[in-house]
Amino acid sequence: MSDATHTGPLAHHFETLEQQNETSAIGMWAFLVQEVMFFGGMFACYIVYRHMYPTAFLEGSAHLDPLLGGINTAVLLGSSLTMALAVRAAQLGKRGQTALLIGATVVLGLVFFGVKYFEYAEKWHHGLVPGLHWAPTGNPDPHLHIFFALYFIMTGMHALHMVIGFVLMAFVGVRALRGRYSPENYIGVEVLGLYWHFVDLVWIFLFPLLYLLSAHLGGGAH
Amino acid sequence: MTAASKQHASTKESNYLTAGYGVRSWLLTVDHKRIALLYLISLTTFFSVGGLFAVLIRLELLTPQGDLFQSETYNKLFTMHGIFMVFFFLVPSIPAVLGNFFLPLMIGARDVAFPKLNLLSWYVYAAGGLVTLFAMFAGGVDTGWTFYAPYSSTYANSHVILAALGIFITGFSSILTGVNFIATTHRMRAPGLTWMRLPLFVWANYATSLIMVLGTPVIAVTILLVAIERLLHVGIFDPALGGDPILFQHLFWFYSHPAVYIMILPGMGVMSEIVACFTRKRIFGYKIVAMSSLAIAILGFLVWGHHMFVSGQSMYAGFVFSLLSMLVAVPSAIKVFNWTATMYRGSITFATPMLYALGFIGLFTIGGLTGIFLAAMALDIHVHDTYFVVAHFHYVMVGGMVMAYLGGLHFYWPKMFGRMYHEGLAKVAAVMIFIGFNLTFFPQFLLGYLGMPRRYHVYDEDFQVLNVLSTAGASVLGLGFALPICYLIFSLKFGKKVGDNPWDAAGLEWTISSPPYEHNFHEIPEVTEEAYDYGKREAARV
Amino acid sequence: MFEDFTLFPEAASTVAGGIDRLYFFLIGMTTFAVAGILSALILFSIRYRRRPDRAAQQIDGSVPLEIIWSAIPLALWVFIFGWSAKLYLEIHTTPSEGMTYFVTGKQWMWKIQHPTGQREINTMHVPRGEVVILKLVSEDVIHDFFVPAFRIKQDVLPGTQYTTIWFEATKVGTYDLFCAEYCGTKHSEMIGSVVVMDPADYQAWLDGQPAGQDPVDAGRVLFENLRCVTCHDAGSGQRGPDLSGRFGRPTSLSDGRTVLFDESYVRESILEPKRRLSAGYQPLMPTYTGQVTDTQINQLIAYVKSLANSDVAPKGGDADGGNGQ
């Protein structure tokens, strides 16, 4: 990359580090706005179909385990905490601690994936995967597949965002270990934190909308 | 590139074009100006592909019978025409070419906020384009650019998923460009360049970026759902499985109506620059014009339902969308009045860019006012999905956007390449495009009210006279578009060399060399004036 | 190619005149505005072309002018909104009395069923001066029923719901019927015609048709053959609601909402019985998707409709059969 005017962490087209940091932050915020709209499209579908087929949604929700969902919620909240601590560590210039905390975030994310794998496998086993393996037993609601289609699309998109998060964390974690961040220049860790908190936030909406419907509306039908 | 950039400080002649040679120096560049040229080349290619489809469509419609193509082929032709023109030309055109090149120059920055992301945007755009081209060569897609479910998700036998994938990928290019421009405009302005001193082109691109960031992800998820539905039949849009095809239309138009403003707002920005320069005046009502861009960006998100007055959507929703559509027309009208008022007591010259600007005002006025016909629900019942709609959006898209794009290209060409094109030929082309355009699309308004539905391969014989006129106009229009491609390329080598400011225009972009240096400014300038400070220049001239 | 040349479509329905008036008003507005803008452009271009001895006069703007040229278009367009909304309401509100035709769109043809059971494809005979109500539904993708001479257009959706449109033809003649929503390969060949006849001629034409089965009678037979009657009759202890006297009235649902018991609701209840269940009943009815054709659904609807004003229980072969338990 050409770097005609500056050396060090300041890119050629910025005047000061402060300007560079502010620019990165505003870029990430703008990107997160687009993420909100992306998930917003799916939430819009959810609202429409839940209104159209309330019984299918109740029945579908009863197939999901609020305990597993709850555990995953706690795990993700924990990962947000380690992420926030990683940002703090970077701010204080502790490179080892930063990398370690980012690593802990990844581990918690993988725990989430483990639970999710267990849940997905169980749905597959029960024939609750529309389009691929759809053979629900008993007398299922005729529109149950729409609930599960949305369940897999929404949680799947959320999981994809987590995978992207892992890739970014590997990148930022290695840079942290190599001492590329300092108390003046830790914006890379900070925007990664913003992204991860957003991914967490999406789950905070998904959990009650998917898992807690039957517990709430069906009077504990589960 | 690194070697070249080290030398640039010492030799003043070195510019962004000579800062590096070879394919690598272009394909790995992070210079916003070079990326703009990469876009220019790929956009022109896609425009030519889309244009070729348009020619074939008009040839088929010369006669009422389907004698040139099979129905399958004709349906693919208009689909691919729409997809290439909308997603690969109109949406990116001005932001990606003129915006990329001039936004940093106008705000006194050395580059956009995220140069590598900017290059990534182009690669993503090119990849999306290649996938869509592949879909075309593999047999094409026949759903219309609107991809209405359940035809697209269940019934069509063409390459819907491939084409959808191409559009999905290209969407990321829009999003990344939007993010980049927002961050650039917020944080990269030169000292003293306050928001109210920004050139209106910057305002327009900023408003456009907001729509790109807010709207594009919705079309992305919609198209993703169509692809999932088509692959797996999960029932999201297929009524046979309990899905709601009207929901698809809501999601589709939630993006695709604001997308109309993605296409026209940057053109309005170019208009302001051209009108100010060639009337030698500050834009009349600068603040109002700037704010009207934002108003359009925001209101534009609240009117999508006017595409669905006959779809079976609730009548009350229809009332709301109809009223809001009337409101969104107001800021556009304000802009037209302000440009016209800018000419009052000006000192007007008629170089090629100004001819395009005058054409824009006339055609956009017609395009905008015929939009009122469509926003009026009762009338829309009759003209919805007829050639009236086709004529209306071509008046806005081609009469507005393409005229502004060409005007902007002619205005900025000497800055981009340091050479001037043949002015006489350029004026001939501008007049040809104006005449050809009107001859092509005005008859379509009449066809629409007569009742000719759009996307018709064979049609009633009553409609033939007007269709023949339209095809005749299209041939003039086609020649008009071919001409600039020739003389502009010719000018790269043989054009007269020009100085840094051939139009004697105001603005930071005109203070640096033509073509600009690799990093634009040796010293970041300090801005002390309002935009369009033509008063001083006029005082000096007289 | 010139013999049929025209710039304006024929107007042959009661609503066409109103839409044309709005159209002409809008053309007037557009012409006036475009002429105004163009005159200003031309005038300024000549008057203020560059002269060596005259400098451009810098003007920042004018708040009063901005207000004027925002307020006038706004007022005008809100007026147009009001006008068109009123007209739309008129067109959109289906008259309560009229001849109900069922129209089914499928790739790429229109199937039409007359109120008296006669069926046609791509041609639709209607009497002049009568309100004709169309119940539209599609078997596959979205189509659109468009008759330019009547200035009416309505999307035709697949699924459980009918869309409705109506017209009253004012002129005898044959008018184009187009599909206006792109529906695949032969979209442009999904055309037909509406033949408007004098009422007497229409009656004569009807009589000349092969005697269509009366939809009400056919529906009654189906009602028995499909065993609808076992649950839906007036006998005691029924598992489904008694259908007499229900059509055209609001009916309450098990989830507390209310729905109009109309053609769409009957159709939906046959195809997706669990979706909107009548209050007080269990979701026992199976779906009939795939077991009944659109024609049969139309006949069932005609029969259920015929029960609207009857206090008599549906005539089932074994009126008490099946609900003894």
Side-chain angles (χ1 to χ4, degrees), chain B residues 57-278:
Chain B
I57 290 169
R58 280 316 324 163
L59 278 177
E60 169 63 72
L61 293 179
L62 203 50
T63 57
Q65 302 80 23
D67 35 19
L68 201 54
F69 302 107
Q70 304 276 315
S71 301
E72 287 90 343
T73 316
Y74 179 80
N75 295 344
K76 286 172 182 169
L77 286 176
F78 71 69
T79 302
M80 300 309 279
H81 168 70
I83 289 176
F84 277 112
M85 286 306 200
V86 170
F87 295 109
F88 295 94
F89 176 71
L90 289 166
V91 165
S93 58
I94 290 183
V97 179
L98 298 176
N100 244 328
F101 202 106
F102 288 98
L103 188 77
L105 297 184
M106 285 180 171
I107 64 172
R110 291 206 167 89
D111 208 320
V112 292
F114 312 111
K116 288 177 213 163
L117 203 62
N118 200 19
L119 180 65
L120 180 66
S121 301
W122 179 73
Y123 273 103
V124 167
Y125 166 78
L130 288 178
V131 170
T132 312
L133 276 177
F134 179 72
M136 179 184 100
F137 286 118
V141 55
D142 73 335
T143 60
W145 78 277
T146 45
F147 286 96
Y148 267 26
Y151 184 67
S152 64
S153 60
T154 310
Y155 288 86
N157 290 315
S158 51
H159 294 275
V160 179
I161 294 182
L162 260 182
L165 182 68
I167 292 167
F168 181 79
I169 294 172
T170 302
F172 284 100
S173 162
S174 261
I175 293 169
L176 295 180
T177 302
V179 167
N180 222 334
F181 282 8
I182 289 174
T184 307
T185 313
H186 271 276
R187 286 289 174 249
M188 306 289 283
R189 283 171 285 126
L193 188 55
T194 57
W195 284 91
M196 281 302 144
R197 285 176 177 174
L198 284 176
L200 289 163
F201 180 76
V202 178
W203 269 111
N205 273 286
Y206 179 74
T208 307
S209 304
L210 291 179
I211 309 176
M212 284 174 162
V213 167
L214 287 168
T216 318
V218 178
I219 191 79
V221 79
T222 310
I223 271 187
L224 193 68
L225 290 175
V226 167
I228 290 174
E229 175 78 336
R230 198 173 161 79
L231 269 176
L232 300 174
H233 303 290
V234 294
I236 295 279
F237 293 132
D238 187 354
L241 295 168
D244 183 1
I246 302 288
L247 176 64
F248 170 85
Q249 295 176 26
H250 279 293
L251 291 171
F252 178 83
W253 290 114
F254 181 84
Y255 165 77
S256 295
H257 192 77
V260 171
Y261 301 112
I262 293 182
M263 300 179 221
I264 195 68
L265 273 172
M268 293 169 158
V270 168
M271 280 294 299
S272 297
E273 300 299 317
I274 295 176
V275 170
C277 176
F278 293 95

Side-chain angles (χ1 to χ4, degrees), chain A residues 1-2 4-6 12-15 19 22-24 26-27 30-31 33-34 37-38 41-42 44-45 48-49 52-53 130-132 143 145-146 149-150 153 157, chain B residues 1 5 30 110-116 175 179 183 186-188 213-214 217-218 220-221 224-225 228 232 234-236 241-244 247 251 254 518-519 524:
Chain A
M1 291 305 118
S2 76
T5 33
H6 314 291
H12 72 278
H13 57 299
F14 290 111
E15 291 295 288
Q19 185 195 20
E22 282 176 350
T23 309
S24 300
I26 204 166
F31 185 78
V33 167
Q34 120 15 75
M37 297 306 288
F38 185 81
M42 288 181 271
C45 292
V48 167
Y49 286 122
M52 274 170 83
Y53 307 123
L132 294 172
H143 299 106
H145 59 276
I146 291 192
L150 285 171
I153 290 168
M157 273 297 139
Chain B
M1 191 172 134
S5 59
V30 289
R110 291 206 167 89
D111 208 320
V112 292
F114 312 111
K116 288 177 213 163
I175 293 169
V179 167
H186 271 276
R187 286 289 174 249
M188 306 289 283
V213 167
L214 287 168
V218 178
V221 79
L224 193 68
L225 290 175
I228 290 174
L232 300 174
V234 294
I236 295 279
L241 295 168
D244 183 1
L247 176 64
L251 291 171
F254 181 84
E518 191 191 357
H519 292 301
I524 296 296

